[in-house]
Amino acid sequence: MTAPNAEPAAVEPRFGGSPVHLRLLALAPALAPEVMTRLLDRLPAYHALPPEQLRGEITRQVERGIRAFVEVMRTGELPGEGELARIRESSARRADEGVPLESVVGAYHLGAQLCAARVLAEAEPADLPDIATAQDRLLGYLQVVSCAVAAGYVQERQAALGDEQVSRQALLSRLLEGGDPRAAADRAGIRLPARYLVLSLAIGPHPDESRPGVNRSVVARRKLRRLRAELDRRTEGVPLAALAADGGPLLLPDDSPGPAGAVDREMLAALVERLAHACGADLLVAATAAAPKDVAAAVRLAADVRQVAGATGRGPGLHLLEDVLLEYQLSRPGPARDALAALLAPLAGRPELLDTLRAFLGCGLDRRRTAARLLVHPNTVDYRLRRTADLTGLDAVRGPDLLTLRAALAAHDTAAL
């Protein structure tokens, strides 16, 4: 492979009349330890590697890099596929060892720059054309080497992330199925917490999902990616999730003291608000807490609470079981629920009456607040409540009927769940 606009191989840069590559060969025994010293001084990530590895593999890689650079200066030919394959393999090992990519790329740059600095020190004004040639070869060398380093590093990280994701999903599946998750946690390299905060998310659409001409799937993926990124920033430990664009279960590790099943409402409500802001969509979230062995049941409970909260008109935000106790209980199938829901059957086809009854009960039986919420006159509220009483025989302003109406409305709203 030859660099663009590279001169014929016979043309070799000379400084002070001497071929550059011969000078580099003479300096090579001293250059390798000097590069190693500079590497450890400027790239602290390499200090974490074992001393025998630094003396062995890393030093050999530095020496090989110097020889490759010498050949580039001598011939103008960039490193071939064999040398680039060795660079990719070495970079992949650094990725596996946790050395940052910028440090791996920086090591090659340090070596090449130090070699160039040593020979450029001997250049004279008359050597300007050769300096330009040497500079072109240096830049070409750094370009192909940097690409090889990045390719090897990224390939290894993608493989590692794939394995990590598979093991985490296996742990999540085990938790959702019930049973002992310890073996799956060990394979994933995750310490099981004392309990998980179990969340069930309903993710609303992002405004861009309804824009004409916009690819909805792309918008949905970006929405979910932003939510996950914010989740990683705001939580400790390893969250486990099976989230689609419209929501799903989320497990947050929690080692805080407190009774089993207790949830820090203030903390979770703030997290839900941050997640919603980050992804640009409304979140309706139900939460509970459970020990790892009880996660499966807790996930089902959280999903039920979320569905009940949505069906009964709760807005976005965090909802706990105690917020919907009556509605949750009345959402369980049975003859009592069916009989209660049937009390409102006369209002079928009259959604404005159901909406008014729901708003009136939600506003603490305050007709003016109800009117403001519905954007109607208070007299309209009075009329609709009277029509509801006429059709059902239950009057929302009469004490004995109030509890029955609340239960009937809860049964009606949750009957489809």
Side-chain angles (χ1 to χ4, degrees), residues 6 8 43 45 132 137 173 285 289 300 328 359 381 384:
L43 301 173
R137 293 181 180 181
S173 296
V285 181
R300 291 192 292 270
Y328 174 82
V381 172
R384 292 178 179 178

Side-chain angles (χ1 to χ4, degrees), residues 7 11 13 72-76 133-141:
E7 65 281 4
V11 178
V72 171
M73 287 294 143
R74 185 179 71 84
T75 66
T133 298
Q135 183 181 41
D136 284 345
R137 293 181 180 181
L138 169 64
L139 293 176
Y141 171 80

Side-chain angles (χ1 to χ4, degrees), residues 92-129:
R93 288 193 292 273
R94 302 295 83 76
D96 184 56
E97 294 157 355
V99 179
L101 175 58
E102 58 268 25
S103 294
V104 185
V105 174
Y108 285 91
H109 279 250
L110 277 176
Q113 289 168 355
L114 188 59
C115 289
R118 290 294 176 268
V119 294
L120 282 171
E122 300 181 1
E124 299 175 355
D127 298 328
L128 185 58

Side-chain angles (χ1 to χ4, degrees), residues 87-307:
I87 291 174
R88 289 194 292 269
E89 291 170 6
S90 175
S91 178
R93 288 193 292 273
R94 302 295 83 76
D96 184 56
E97 294 157 355
V99 179
L101 175 58
E102 58 268 25
S103 294
V104 185
V105 174
Y108 285 91
H109 279 250
L110 277 176
Q113 289 168 355
L114 188 59
C115 289
R118 290 294 176 268
V119 294
L120 282 171
E122 300 181 1
E124 299 175 355
D127 298 328
L128 185 58
D130 293 283
I131 292 173
T133 298
Q135 183 181 41
D136 284 345
R137 293 181 180 181
L138 169 64
L139 293 176
Y141 171 80
L142 290 176
Q143 180 183 11
V144 297
V145 166
S146 296
C147 290
V149 169
Y153 195 99
V154 169
Q155 185 175 10
E156 173 60 27
R157 287 305 302 149
Q158 286 177 334
L161 288 173
D163 292 342
E164 181 181 90
Q165 187 63 24
V166 168
S167 62
R168 290 185 179 183
Q169 287 303 118
L171 173 57
L172 176 61
S173 296
R174 187 59 175 155
L175 288 165
L176 296 180
E177 292 167 358
D180 190 345
R182 287 177 294 183
D186 290 341
R187 287 192 294 270
I190 295 175
R191 183 188 65 81
L192 288 172
R195 63 179 188 165
Y196 279 102
L197 299 178
V198 180
L199 281 63
S200 179
L201 278 65
I203 306 175
H206 187 280
D208 287 346
E209 290 182 62
S210 61
R211 293 183 183 277
V214 173
N215 188 319
R216 294 183 180 180
S217 63
V218 171
V219 176
R221 286 196 298 271
R222 293 184 67 232
K223 171 183 69 177
L224 199 54
R225 186 166 59 248
R226 289 194 298 267
L227 187 151
R228 286 173 170 154
E230 183 68 12
L231 182 66
D232 288 339
R233 282 194 293 269
R234 298 291 182 179
T235 60
E236 297 181 1
V238 180
L240 301 173
L243 296 177
D246 60 351
L250 169 63
L251 308 183
L252 303 179
D254 181 28
D255 287 306
S256 61
V263 172
D264 185 337
R265 178 189 287 269
E266 185 176 347
M267 179 276 291
L268 268 186
L271 175 62
V272 169
E273 185 176 348
R274 293 188 186 104
L275 295 178
H277 178 75
C279 73
D282 288 337
L283 298 182
L284 193 154
V285 181
T288 185
K293 63 182 180 63
D294 299 321
V295 161
V299 168
R300 291 192 292 270
L301 173 61
D304 287 346
V305 171
R306 176 183 56 77
Q307 290 176 338

